[in-house]
Amino acid sequence: MENLNTLAGEVRRCALCELSRTRTNAVPGEGPANAEIMFIGEGPGFNEDKQGRPFVGAAGQFLNELLQIAGFKREEVYITNVVKCRPPGNRDPLPEEIQACARYLDRQIELINPRVIVTLGRFSMARWFPNEKISAVHGRAKRAGGRVVVAMFHPAAALHQQSLRATVEEDFRKLRQIVAEAQRKPEEKPAEKPASDQAEQLSLF
Ligand code: URA
Ligand code: SF4
């Protein structure tokens, strides 16, 4: 039966898109196979490419702080990216690269089966919040296919734009409650809120 390790081996040998030509190491992702929360970033940067591990550079340091704010240990969450190989010069991943790499992300989601998916930045957000702007939906949760998906700004965005930092920290502070809600059994879930309360409904279902 397929597991995360065999999948990671496949990713490390993958040559399905052009990013395989310029990478040093592919970065499959890391964390426990039974993680309840999965964080999905954009793609490896310089340090990640060198080490073969996700979020180990400056953005990773900040993600570690954000996880602490949210009350999670890094070792208990799964962390990966939309594309597993570094785009040269940290350029945006191309649509065809995202599409080629989606087979791995799909299988990771299936294998880990997390209750909560946290998207970091617009590339992972686009999959569950199509046509939405991150400035409008950041910090919000929605139900999708039996999971809860929360859209967050990318930690690197907050590093480059100081004014975002407090916003990102505030969003992560709310993550704890969102996860607690998602962990309740269905019969314990609060009743549907009226449609007039839609914004509220999005942020806490
Ligand atoms: N930025 C990302 O999106 N992913 C990483 O792994 C590191 C930085
Ligand atoms: Fe394969 Fe994804 Fe790397 Fe492209 S980015 S070579 S699809 S692992």
Side-chain angles (χ1 to χ4, degrees):
M1 206 188 101
E2 181 178 48
N3 64 32
L4 280 177
N5 289 338
T6 54
L7 182 53
E10 226 179 287
V11 168
R12 289 200 184 88
R13 293 186 304 273
C14 178
L16 283 171
C17 86
E18 287 287 303
L19 296 180
S20 64
R21 296 164 166 275
T22 46
R23 74 176 175 226
T24 312
N25 292 293
V27 181
E30 66 184 24
N34 63 353
E36 297 242 308
I37 315 173
M38 183 170 182
F39 290 81
I40 309 175
E42 179 178 324
F46 177 87
N47 293 288
E48 291 78 20
D49 174 71
K50 286 276 171 287
Q51 296 182 38
R53 293 181 55 208
F55 283 96
V56 291
Q61 289 305 310
F62 187 40
L63 178 60
N64 291 347
E65 283 177 42
L66 291 169
L67 287 172
Q68 205 171 8
I69 285 173
F72 300 115
K73 295 194 189 91
R74 178 161 167 141
E75 307 78 61
E76 70 184 337
V77 303
Y78 195 85
I79 304 177
T80 189
N81 285 298
V82 166
V83 292
K84 316 302 192 200
C85 302
R86 183 193 183 202
N90 298 347
R91 67 158 168 75
D92 289 347
L94 300 173
E96 57 266 35
E97 293 160 355
I98 294 171
Q99 204 197 335
C101 216
R103 72 195 66 210
Y104 301 121
L105 185 57
D106 291 344
R107 284 152 65 191
Q108 286 172 322
I109 293 169
E110 214 171 289
L111 284 167
I112 296 161
N113 195 20
R115 275 180 208 259
V116 178
I117 290 175
V118 181
T119 62
L120 303 171
R122 60 200 166 95
F123 290 98
S124 48
M125 182 186 86
R127 189 179 168 121
W128 290 279
F129 295 83
N131 308 315
E132 299 267 22
K133 288 195 130 169
I134 194 151
S135 54
V137 300
H138 70 88
R140 291 208 195 149
K142 78 186 246 186
R143 295 193 180 279
R147 303 182 211 290
V148 170
V149 184
V150 191
M152 296 289 193
F153 280 112
H154 195 288
L159 285 180
H160 298 136
Q161 209 179 319
Q162 198 57 33
S163 60
L164 272 187
R165 198 181 170 108
T167 306
V168 176
E169 291 179 0
E170 191 53 38
D171 288 347
F172 269 76
R173 217 162 268 127
K174 289 189 296 190
L175 188 56
R176 222 186 150 62
Q177 195 189 344
I178 292 172
V179 171
E181 290 263 341
Q183 285 171 329
R184 291 194 205 185
K185 293 193 203 81
E187 62 271 22
E188 292 174 286
K189 268 176 209 146
E192 289 283 322
K193 295 199 177 140
S196 60
D197 203 13
Q198 196 133 32
E200 192 38 38
Q201 202 176 352
L202 259 182
S203 60
L204 291 173
F205 327 121

